[in-house]
Amino acid sequence: VLAGVSAQHFLTSIGGLVAIPLILSKELCLQHDLLTQSHLISTIFFVSGICTLLQVLFGVRLPIIQGGTFTFLTPTLAMLSLPSWKCPAWTQNATLVNASSPEFIQVWQTRMREVQGTIIVASCFQIFVGFSGLIGFLMRFIGPLTIAPTITLVALPLFESAGDMAGQHWGIAFMTIFFTVLFSQYLKDIAVPLPSYQRDKKCHSSPIYLFQIFPVLLGLSLSWLLCYVLTVTSVLPAAPTAYGHLARTDTRGNVLSQAPWFRLPYPGQWGTPTVSLAGIFGILAGVISSMLESVGDYYACARLCGAPPPPKHAISRGIGVEGIGCLLAGAWGTGSGTTSYSENVGALGITKVGSRMVIIAGACAMLLSGIFGKVGAMLASIPIPVIGGMFLVMFGIITAVGISNLQYTNMNSSRNIFIFGFSLFAGLTIPNWASKNSTLLETGIIQLDQVILVLLTTGMFVGGLLGFVLDNTIPGTQEERGLLAWKQSHEGGTESSQLVSKVYDLPFGIGTKYCNVSWFRYLPACPKRLSCDKRMDELKADGQKNSVKTSLERNSEISADTRM
């Protein structure tokens, strides 16, 4: 059973893990180098496995998957769109690209190293915010009206990429959308009986909600199979310039034979990372968005697992470990950071299995997939229109998730309507204008020009900053701003300290049996040990409850004897 649930979590995360390298490939000048794309996919699988193990064992210690984050994608694309990083014209022509030539390798690796260095530096900020306990301080000023436009603007600027890919064959793209919507919305409550084995029940069938767990994977697989059938029957055109040619499975299938069976990703595999000031500020906006999203995922995961709400030290540790994960992602060169996956938090509610061992097994599957080169090659060979259809659904959901944060606010308030509407519209308008009129923003200082251009072309930064400033300066009550409902949704009951310690304390006796030094309790990311007086009070309270319970049971027995 645990193996099956682990496989479910692993397969659920595939869509998000594959999407990021495929989107970045164009800006990294890799759209005609499928082998390198497969290496990027393998690397992000491998690093996500490492980060998941760190988070489950030493981070927030909840059963939650770590994977590539879309919040880093928008600022990364803005940085790579700078004039100095735009791809040479010859890299856009498949006939002129020699993937093994030193010139081509230098072109894409210099861009990747710049992305790596930027992510490494920005991740240090997240590590500091997490382990210093500052995340709690930031949450006082960042509410739904800041988060809503920020998350919404993560996905909205990607409409062009999704449209270009889907437009290679709209019929195949809509078929992918149809299957995904059919499984995720119409058939989600239909259970499919599948054979399973348990010691007490032996071989039997168990109802599994396959369509609810794997809608993206099933939709992608069926569309991929359809493309193969249309390729074999020569329905799709063989001419490279004809419309629909990129829907053929043989246009990207050669990568399977080229990819090695085994390849171990390692830090610095693309060279020594470089850093520029321009990219750091843009990625910082993604870091803040990622942290806020993860805090919400921690509370949701704890609620679905039946665990007590995470205490402050566990949240601080979780954010800090996510920062370490981003640092590792930058060192390995995935092209993105890492964050908690909301899709897998939702899968917990379906499977009803909130076990760390399940997620650890899923993380090991990620590590093996990253080492087994043919897996990345297979995923890199997905036809372009199928990817476009998947992106239309995924980016639409991300947009809706951002807007859903407004449920905590009073949207009958003209104040809130103005803040959200203006922040969202400005987050679309200003980046569009800045990208077309970059010469008007030149100050004469190259580094400063790059910083200004990256920030103003990053929609999530513009919209999030405006939402933050307006929400904290325009008068409004905490209830109107949604801060009260936001706080109440993240609060739980009064669980005993023993239960909280059992779930969230560090493993292997760290801080209790071993490394138990007095100054540990002053660290924001370490659990606070109860004083002797508080411990005695708690034990005394538990003893009183037990004594009351015992006396009630004794009285009920006496009354029963009397009636007899």
Side-chain angles (χ1 to χ4, degrees):
V1 175
L2 291 180
V5 178
S6 299
Q8 290 175 17
H9 280 283
F10 169 68
L11 295 172
T12 303
S13 65
I14 284 180
L17 291 173
V18 172
I20 292 170
L22 295 179
I23 294 174
L24 282 176
S25 61
K26 183 179 180 181
E27 300 301 326
L28 291 172
C29 317
L30 289 172
Q31 66 267 43
H32 299 302
D33 185 1
L34 299 181
L35 183 59
T36 302
Q37 288 184 33
S38 73
H39 293 338
L40 288 176
I41 292 172
S42 297
T43 301
I44 200 169
F45 269 96
F46 186 79
V47 174
S48 297
I50 294 175
C51 296
T52 300
L53 289 176
L54 289 176
Q55 188 66 267
V56 172
L57 294 175
F58 303 104
V60 73
R61 292 192 41 79
L62 287 169
I64 192 165
I65 290 280
Q66 303 290 292
T69 172
F70 285 97
T71 59
F72 282 28
L73 201 54
T74 306
T76 300
L77 294 176
M79 182 183 72
L80 292 175
S81 66
L82 289 172
S84 58
W85 292 116
K86 284 189 176 179
C87 294
W90 61 270
T91 61
Q92 313 299 313
N93 190 337
T95 59
L96 299 177
V97 172
N98 180 6
S100 59
S101 68
E103 183 183 6
F104 178 73
I105 293 174
Q106 179 68 11
V107 165
W108 75 262
Q109 284 193 356
T110 51
R111 286 157 177 76
M112 174 57 82
R113 290 196 293 265
E114 188 75 11
V115 174
Q116 286 182 252
T118 301
I119 292 174
I120 288 172
V121 174
S123 66
C124 295
F125 172 75
Q126 184 170 359
I127 294 171
F128 172 74
V129 170
F131 288 117
S132 66
L134 277 178
I135 185 65
F137 176 77
L138 290 176
M139 292 294 288
R140 297 180 188 175
F141 303 98
I142 299 176
L145 287 170
T146 302
I147 296 171
T150 304
I151 301 298
T152 302
L153 288 166
V154 168
L156 282 181
L158 299 173
F159 74 92
E160 190 172 355
S161 298
D164 289 344
M165 289 183 170
Q168 298 297 329
H169 196 296
W170 279 108
I172 298 297
F174 276 121
M175 188 61 65
T176 306
I177 295 169
F178 169 76
F179 283 134
T180 306
V181 173
L182 176 69
F183 297 143
S184 65
Q185 304 302 321
Y186 294 99
L187 302 180
K188 63 180 180 180
D189 295 325
I190 296 178
V192 179
L194 294 178
S196 61
Y197 176 82
Q198 288 179 333
R199 285 185 179 179
D200 52 344
K201 297 182 180 180
K202 302 298 181 182
C203 292
H204 66 287
S205 62
S206 299
I208 305 294
Y209 292 91
L210 279 180
F211 303 123
Q212 191 173 9
I213 300 171
F214 307 127
V216 174
L217 187 66
L218 290 172
L220 187 148
S221 301
L222 287 177
S223 299
W224 199 350
L225 179 62
L226 177 64
C227 287
Y228 175 74
V229 172
L230 295 178
T231 301
V232 172
T233 56
S234 299
V235 174
L236 295 171
T241 56
Y243 176 79
H245 172 72
L246 291 178
R248 294 178 63 93
T249 53
D250 55 5
T251 59
R252 298 167 66 88
N254 293 335
V255 67
L256 273 172
S257 59
Q258 297 172 1
W261 282 98
F262 298 100
R263 179 183 177 275
L264 182 65
Y266 58 92
Q269 58 187 332
W270 318 127
T272 305
T274 58
V275 182
S276 69
L277 194 62
I280 294 172
F281 286 98
I283 294 291
L284 283 177
V287 167
I288 294 172
S289 303
S290 176
M291 288 192 295
L292 298 175
E293 190 179 2
S294 293
V295 171
D297 288 337
Y298 296 161
Y299 283 102
C301 183
R303 186 171 62 252
L304 291 172
C305 293
K312 291 180 180 179
H313 68 80
I315 293 175
S316 297
R317 205 167 58 237
I319 295 299
V321 170
E322 281 195 18
I324 294 174
C326 291
L327 185 70
L328 296 178
W332 258 264
T334 64
S336 177
T338 59
T339 189
S340 300
Y341 263 19
S342 304
E343 303 97 320
N344 293 86
V345 174
L348 285 173
I350 299 170
T351 61
K352 308 297 182 185
V353 179
S355 168
R356 293 192 191 107
M357 290 306 300
V358 167
I359 303 302
I360 289 172
C364 293
M366 287 181 175
L367 289 171
L368 291 175
S369 300
I371 296 172
F372 193 57
K374 296 294 183 182
V375 173
M378 182 183 67
L379 295 172
S381 64
I382 302 172
I384 294 292
V386 176
I387 298 171
M390 181 182 71
F391 283 175
L392 283 173
V393 176
M394 288 180 63
F395 296 158
I397 292 173
I398 294 172
T399 302
V401 167
I403 296 173
S404 69
N405 285 282
L406 297 175
Q407 65 183 299
Y408 301 104
T409 66
N410 178 13
M411 289 311 291
N412 291 320
S413 165
S414 59
R415 169 195 183 274
N416 294 348
I417 291 174
F418 164 73
I419 291 174
F420 177 71
F422 177 69
S423 301
L424 185 64
F425 197 73
L428 293 171
T429 306
I430 293 176
N432 181 60
W433 179 88
S435 62
K436 295 178 179 178
N437 300 276
S438 58
T439 54
L440 299 177
L441 299 172
E442 292 179 356
T443 62
I445 305 172
I446 297 177
Q447 290 78 8
L448 182 60
D449 292 345
Q450 291 179 343
V451 171
I452 293 173
L453 189 59
V454 168
L455 292 180
L456 292 183
T457 53
T458 304
M460 58 181 293
F461 170 79
V462 175
L465 179 64
L466 288 173
F468 173 78
V469 172
L470 294 174
D471 188 35
N472 285 280
T473 55
I474 297 177
T477 63
Q478 288 211 336
E479 183 178 4
E480 184 182 14
R481 296 172 61 189
L483 296 179
L484 286 180
W486 176 267
K487 185 178 180 181
Q488 289 171 1
S489 69
H490 289 166
E491 287 181 348
T494 56
E495 285 80 5
S496 67
S497 61
Q498 290 98 328
L499 180 58
V500 173
S501 297
K502 184 178 180 181
V503 176
Y504 296 106
D505 276 8
L506 291 167
F508 314 124
I510 299 175
T512 53
K513 296 181 181 178
Y514 311 107
C515 304
N516 188 11
V517 291
S518 58
W519 52 267
F520 260 29
R521 65 176 181 270
Y522 298 109
L523 298 178
C526 290
K528 305 293 184 292
R529 299 264 70 85
L530 285 177
S531 65
C532 293
D533 293 339
K534 289 184 178 180
R535 174 71 72 180
M536 289 300 296
D537 291 341
E538 189 170 289
L539 291 173
K540 191 180 295 183
D542 290 342
Q544 289 176 354
K545 288 180 183 178
N546 292 331
S547 63
V548 169
K549 184 178 179 181
T550 304
S551 62
L552 288 173
E553 291 174 351
R554 189 182 300 114
N555 291 337
S556 63
E557 290 174 0
I558 293 172
S559 60
D561 292 339
T562 305
R563 284 195 299 271
M564 291 175 67

